[in-house]
Amino acid sequence: MIDIKDRVCEAVAGKIMSAEAAAEFVKDGDNVGTSGFTPSGYPKAVPLALAEKGKKTPFQINVWTGASVGPEMDTAMTQAGIVARRMPYQTNNDLRKAINNGSVKYTDLHLSHVAQMTRYGFMENRRCVDVAIVEACKIIDLGNGQVGLIPTTSMGNSSSYVQCAEKVIVEVNTSQPVELEGMHDSYVPLDPPNRKAIPVEKPEDVIGTPYIPCDLDRLVAVVPCDITDKVRPLGEIDEDAQKMGKNLVEFFKSEVAAGRLPANLLPLQSGVGSVANAVINGLVNSDFEDLTVYTEVIQDGMFDLIDAGKLRVCSGTALSPSPDCLKKFKKYIILRPQEVANSPEVARRIGVIAMNTAIEVDIYGNVNSTHICGTKIMNGIGGSGDYARNGYLTVFFTTSLAKGGAISSVVPFCSHVDHTEHDVDVIVSERGVADLRGLSPKERALVIIDKVANPKYQPLLLDYFKRACEACGNSQTPHIMDEAFSFHDRFVKTGTMEK
């Protein structure tokens, strides 16, 4: 067994056991809350043991995480058939197939809602967390029957899951450096009617503790582990992403010149993935300095801003860096629970600039960020809605084309709506910037078709819009009901949205 005695206090030494032994604490039908967010800081050894246990003796559990996790959870447990329900976000191919074929029930939630809804008893069987399984790099003795869990590369929902779980299992991962201690800010808001304002007034504010407190009598197992995070490599920054980054920077410059943004902008929030990372990277080559970030996932682009001397502080709920970036972070980064990192209250107070990616947008400014052709889930809504509705400025990014031009990312009507026209201020593609603030639906349509849509599909979109206006008597939001999804219908039948 891996030696972790130098990482744990004497109070828990007698609870060290194998992953297989710890897995016996998890029972059929349990609600299991785990650490992990965009596969960082998630448990590995116990989920693998649970998967093996399920192959021998079938059982099912409800798996609640922070967001996406690694293959030791979503691949192994899905293939073993032990996942009954999964929430609130995922990016795993095996799990996605299981969700879309109906073998796993999936609850897609705004990420800021998950911890509080869990504590309220709103979820499966109206019970809270039966077992919390969290990763730590160290366990310290707090005295008075409590220990402190030092998280690793994510906070996610760990603080709340540990607080309300009947049983807690901690994986102490020796692949994670103990130098992570001091980066975390664990804070769990009180629940209504006793809730107070979350006292974050600027991204660098620290409001909680650098550890997650846990009662010794609920900590049932400490499991040694040395399995690394399976952080996904980000794609190369392609020409379209570079253009989107440049378009964003030019838009920001115009906003500063007009007095609508300060010279160092406002706290930046950026979604997950290659496009979002590339857009943030675009700021590296800009003139903007003394930037701040208040986001969920801290990706490579943020580290490039640090290297360029442009970033003062970066607050998030998870690190998702490549291994080369891991040595650069501690001085600049604060990791918080996701209900604080994604808090609508805080986003509104500090004036977050929300920047997220769309699968498709429609001519009136609605955004689909979750479903392919309206039916098959891709990943989930994640935290985009938390910020979009409450940001000082809300920006969505999309390339104008997908699938080699077979798909137009601008359609007459989104096949699934995650963010309504009311929450979308700006849409950016490689072609330009559609500033929708203050426009009526018909005005938005013309701007989106002109600035965002690809020339290949502009004539089709304009033709639909003009005929819809005539058919509806120039009404507020014109649509031809039997043609609103015609782009999607053509794609399903022919493999392209072109006529």
Side-chain angles (χ1 to χ4, degrees):
M1 188 178 291
I2 302 160
D3 185 6
I4 58 171
K5 289 180 181 176
D6 61 337
R7 287 176 175 248
V8 302
C9 58
E10 185 62 30
V12 301
K15 301 189 180 192
I16 297 174
M17 65 185 71
S18 69
E20 292 73 20
E24 293 304 313
F25 287 104
V26 179
K27 306 302 181 185
D28 185 36
D30 274 354
N31 296 331
V32 178
T34 79
S35 60
F37 195 108
T38 316
S40 297
Y42 60 96
K44 293 108 175 155
V46 176
L48 288 172
L50 286 168
E52 290 303 311
K53 174 183 172 182
K55 292 175 185 176
K56 298 170 185 174
T57 307
F59 71 98
Q60 287 200 312
I61 56 176
N62 304 303
V63 181
W64 308 342
T65 65
S68 55
V69 288
E72 296 85 356
M73 286 189 63
D74 280 346
T75 297
M77 295 200 302
T78 299
Q79 290 180 349
I82 68 170
V83 181
R85 184 185 301 277
R86 177 73 165 79
M87 72 171 195
Y89 185 85
Q90 55 76 40
T91 57
N92 181 272
N93 285 333
D94 291 287
L95 179 57
R96 184 183 298 119
K97 289 175 184 176
I99 292 167
N100 284 320
N101 69 27
S103 57
V104 171
K105 292 174 283 190
Y106 178 57
T107 304
D108 189 18
L109 290 174
H110 296 296
L111 296 188
S112 70
H113 292 185
V114 181
Q116 64 182 30
M117 290 178 74
T118 300
R119 295 194 305 269
Y120 298 167
F122 285 2
M123 310 314 296
E124 193 77 9
N125 304 317
R126 300 299 176 261
R127 295 201 315 268
C128 200
V129 179
D130 296 302
V131 184
I133 310 173
V134 299
E135 183 179 85
C137 64
K138 190 176 178 182
I139 302 177
I140 60 175
D141 194 342
L142 301 179
N144 297 317
Q146 280 200 324
V147 292
L149 314 179
I150 309 298
T152 57
T153 46
S154 72
M155 285 291 286
N157 288 317
S158 298
S159 298
S160 281
Y161 290 161
V162 168
Q163 176 179 292
C164 63
E166 290 185 10
K167 294 174 282 190
V168 178
I169 298 170
V170 181
E171 285 191 13
V172 176
N173 195 316
T174 58
S175 76
Q176 300 276 22
V178 292
E179 288 77 16
L180 287 165
E181 184 175 6
M183 284 183 54
H184 307 92
D185 185 28
S186 178
Y187 176 91
V188 178
L190 296 173
D191 292 328
N194 301 308
R195 177 163 292 175
K196 306 261 192 279
I198 296 173
V200 174
E201 297 181 357
K202 51 187 182 299
E204 51 263 60
D205 286 346
V206 174
I207 61 174
T209 60
Y211 53 80
I212 299 171
C214 179
D215 298 329
L216 260 176
D217 60 0
R218 290 187 299 113
L219 200 165
V220 296
V222 176
V223 177
C225 179
D226 61 359
I227 304 171
T228 59
D229 282 341
K230 301 303 184 292
V231 179
R232 296 183 300 272
L234 294 169
E236 293 294 322
I237 300 174
D238 62 19
E239 185 179 353
D240 283 348
Q242 287 180 339
K243 287 179 180 177
M244 283 192 280
K246 289 179 181 177
N247 290 341
L248 176 73
V249 168
E250 291 305 310
F251 172 73
F252 281 163
K253 286 181 179 178
S254 68
E255 290 296 288
V256 172
R260 290 186 288 267
L261 282 174
N264 68 333
L265 306 180
L266 285 166
L268 304 171
Q269 177 269 327
S270 176
V272 180
S274 297
V275 170
N277 200 56
V279 167
I280 283 290
N281 189 269
L283 290 167
V284 172
N285 300 313
S286 73
D287 297 328
F288 291 110
E289 297 180 340
D290 194 33
L291 298 171
T292 61
V293 169
Y294 196 88
T295 191
E296 353 172 81
V297 181
I298 299 164
Q299 298 187 120
D300 282 12
M302 308 295 186
F303 295 95
D304 293 336
L305 285 172
I306 292 172
D307 284 344
K310 295 178 178 292
L311 187 64
R312 186 171 83 238
V313 66
C314 188
S315 168
T317 194
L319 285 167
S320 188
S322 61
D324 292 341
C325 288
L326 280 174
K327 297 179 182 178
K328 303 176 183 178
F329 52 71
K330 189 169 182 179
K331 178 180 176 183
Y332 300 90
I333 290 171
I334 303 167
L335 296 183
R336 312 177 190 273
Q338 66 193 63
E339 68 179 316
V340 177
N342 291 49
S343 167
E345 172 201 352
V346 175
R348 179 66 65 90
R349 179 186 302 124
I350 67 177
V352 162
I353 299 174
M355 301 183 291
N356 292 283
T357 305
I359 290 175
E360 64 183 3
V361 302
D362 67 31
I363 58 176
Y364 298 117
N366 299 297
V367 169
N368 170 17
S369 60
T370 61
H371 283 71
I372 304 300
C373 286
T375 62
K376 293 190 179 297
I377 192 78
M378 187 64 183
N379 297 327
I381 194 168
S384 54
D386 296 323
Y387 300 105
R389 182 76 187 273
N390 300 281
Y392 177 88
L393 191 63
T394 294
V395 184
F396 280 94
F397 297 90
T398 183
T399 52
S400 65
L401 298 174
K403 294 289 183 184
I407 291 176
S408 171
S409 296
V410 180
V411 294
F413 198 7
C414 280
S415 58
H416 178 94
V417 176
D418 295 291
H419 310 283
T420 74
E421 59 186 280
H422 312 291
D423 299 334
V424 181
D425 297 321
V426 178
I427 300 173
V428 178
S429 78
E430 81 283 0
R431 295 202 59 251
V433 176
D435 185 350
L436 309 179
R437 292 172 294 178
L439 301 184
S440 70
K442 293 191 289 293
E443 290 172 321
R444 288 197 296 270
L446 293 172
V447 172
I448 290 170
I449 293 170
D450 180 44
K451 299 293 186 182
V452 178
N454 193 275
K456 181 177 182 177
Y457 288 97
Q458 282 175 328
L460 285 174
L461 292 164
L462 278 170
D463 175 66
Y464 172 84
F465 174 65
K466 290 176 180 177
R467 288 188 298 109
C469 288
E470 292 173 4
C472 296
N474 213 31
S475 60
Q476 172 73 356
T477 308
H479 270 304
I480 303 171
M481 288 297 106
D482 61 354
E483 291 188 39
F485 300 117
S486 58
F487 278 40
H488 304 92
D489 187 52
R490 275 197 301 274
F491 177 74
V492 170
K493 290 176 179 176
T494 70
T496 179
M497 289 184 174
E498 287 186 276
K499 274 191 174 179

